[in-house]
């Protein structure tokens, strides 16, 4: 057994990942800025083109991750059929709706509408998930959240100055997330495939869906401006690809409940980014209503003791707090 030479440099210690809190903050920033990226992207591209670019670059990042980890794709026609539906409900449809919505509403409002997903989820759970019936506290949370939505929209003013179409599209996008996650919980639990593989396959299928639809309803832009292009690349590579990898590591380290808290930072960051960088107007009812919405959403996630939540697969969009997978990307 040889004695180490004290004059020789010490061997390099294995690199350690960044603290999960740092990665949590990065995840909140990326998802919060996604609504700004959408807004900037629609200044140079049609909404469907923004969505296609987002999915394309997100798929590229996830495909590299799958190859590096030597993960295998899901198997079985039934699984791929369910993934196709999930890709529509959780990616292709809501991403497109948000892009169309931000043609006429501020990115701040879109970010707040995204935070209503847990409220939609609880409403749908009344009929779709019998094992997830709301208790009294969660019912109160739903009512509080509804009041928050009305506050954001300025209901006492008769919704004056509000673009009804754009706001409705953003709320429909949040509803699509809720429907999609109920579908995923019922159909894609226990497939045997990893969450990374399922997520990469799902986003890839959504990319194919947009590749078919986009040419039918849009034409190629006559010119490509650098800033919208960079926004779309960032939206896909960071907001759809890298963010999912960040969340995968956070969930593996601290669990899905803590990771889901990122939901409550997304509208705050989206609002700050829209006001500071896009000069979007902000009246008192928008931040106040957003706080009320988030408080109601938090209450809707209260679980009674002894009621286990069913496992699900990895999220592929800014997650509402009711998404509680065993592991997530």
């Amino acid at each position: 057994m040889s004695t180490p030479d004290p004059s020789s440099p010490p061997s390099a210690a294995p690199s350690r990942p960044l603290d999960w809190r740092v990665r949590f903050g990065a995840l909140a920033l990326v998802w919060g800025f996604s609504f700004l990226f959408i807004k900037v992207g629609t200044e140079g591209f049609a909404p469907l083109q923004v969505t296609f670019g987002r999915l394309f670059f997100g798929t590229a990042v996830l495909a590299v991750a799958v190859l590096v980890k030597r993960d295998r794709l899901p198997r079985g026609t039934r699984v791929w059929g369910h993934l196709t539906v999930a890709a529509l409900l959780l990616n292709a449809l809501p991403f497109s709706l948000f892009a169309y919505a931000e043609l006429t509403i501020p990115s701040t409002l879109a970010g707040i509408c995204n935070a209503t997903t847990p409220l939609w989820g609880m409403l749908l759970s009344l009929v779709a998930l019998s094992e997830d019936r709301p208790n009294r506290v969660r019912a109160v949370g739903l009512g509080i959240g509804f009041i928050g939505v009305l506050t954001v929209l300025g209901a006492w003013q008769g919704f004056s100055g509000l673009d009804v179409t754009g706001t409705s599209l953003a709320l429909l996008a949040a509803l699509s997330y809720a429907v999609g996650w109920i579908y995923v919980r019922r159909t894609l639990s226990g497939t045997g495939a990893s969450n990374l593989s399922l997520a990469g396959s799902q986003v890839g299928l959504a990319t194919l869906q947009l590749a078919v639809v986009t040419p039918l309803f849009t034409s190629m832009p006559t010119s490509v401006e650098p800033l919208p292009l960079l926004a779309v690349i960032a939206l896909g590579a960071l907001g759809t690809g890298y963010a999912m990898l960040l969340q995968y590591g956070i969930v593996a380290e601290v669990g899905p409940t803590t990771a889901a808290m990122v939901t409550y930072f997304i509208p705050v960051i989206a609002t700050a980014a829209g006001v500071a960088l896009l000069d979007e107007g902000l009246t008192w009812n928008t931040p106040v209503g957003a706080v009320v919405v988030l408080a109601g959403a938090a209450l809707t996630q209260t679980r009674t003791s002894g009621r286990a939540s069913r496992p699900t697969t990895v999220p592929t969009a800014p997650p509402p707090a009711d998404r509680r997978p065993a592991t997530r990307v």
Side-chain angles (χ1 to χ4, degrees), residues 148-272:
V149 172
L150 293 178
T151 303
V152 170
L153 302 181
W156 65 93
Q157 303 172 9
F159 307 109
S160 61
L162 182 72
D163 185 85
V164 176
T165 300
T167 305
S168 299
L169 291 176
L171 291 173
L172 283 174
L175 173 61
S176 182
Y177 285 143
V179 173
W181 276 103
I182 289 176
Y183 181 84
V184 163
R185 290 174 66 180
R186 284 188 168 275
T187 61
L188 287 172
S189 297
T191 61
S194 73
N195 285 334
L196 175 59
S197 175
L198 288 170
S201 301
Q202 180 180 306
V203 177
L205 287 169
T207 305
L208 292 177
Q209 291 169 357
L210 263 294
V212 173
V213 172
T214 301
L216 299 178
F217 296 96
T218 66
S219 57
M220 291 293 293
T222 56
S223 63
V224 176
E225 298 294 329
L227 192 57
L229 177 60
L230 289 175
V232 172
I233 294 174
L235 180 64
L238 296 178
T240 304
Y242 180 62
M244 293 172 64
L245 299 178
L246 277 177
Q247 196 188 34
Y248 179 83
I250 294 170
V251 170
E253 186 171 342
V254 299
T257 301
T258 300
M261 293 298 293
V262 73
T263 300
Y264 304 110
F265 293 88
I266 292 172
V268 176
I269 295 171
T271 299

Side-chain angles (χ1 to χ4, degrees), residues 90 114-125 129 132 138 174-175 177-182 185 256-257 260-261 263-264 297-298 300-303 309-313 315 318-325 328:
L90 290 173
N114 180 75
T116 66
T117 303
L119 305 178
W120 289 115
M122 205 202 78
L123 273 175
L124 292 171
S125 72
L129 293 173
D132 199 26
R138 298 180 71 199
L175 173 61
Y177 285 143
V179 173
W181 276 103
I182 289 176
R185 290 174 66 180
T257 301
M261 293 298 293
T263 300
Y264 304 110
T300 65
Q301 304 317 300
T302 303
R303 295 293 194 271
S309 59
R310 297 173 60 182
T312 185
T313 57
D322 67 335
R323 302 177 190 177
R324 298 178 181 270
R328 300 194 227 181

Side-chain angles (χ1 to χ4, degrees), residues 78-137:
R78 183 178 180 183
V79 172
W80 280 97
H82 289 316
L83 281 172
T84 300
V85 177
L88 174 65
L89 294 174
L90 290 173
N91 301 115
L93 180 58
F95 289 0
S96 299
L97 288 173
F98 272 124
Y100 275 106
E102 290 197 41
L103 291 176
T104 55
I105 67 172
S107 64
T108 55
L109 180 55
I112 293 170
C113 288
N114 180 75
T116 66
T117 303
L119 305 178
W120 289 115
M122 205 202 78
L123 273 175
L124 292 171
S125 72
L126 291 171
V127 294
L129 293 173
S130 58
E131 77 280 5
D132 199 26
R133 298 285 183 179
N135 54 31
R136 184 175 300 177
V137 174

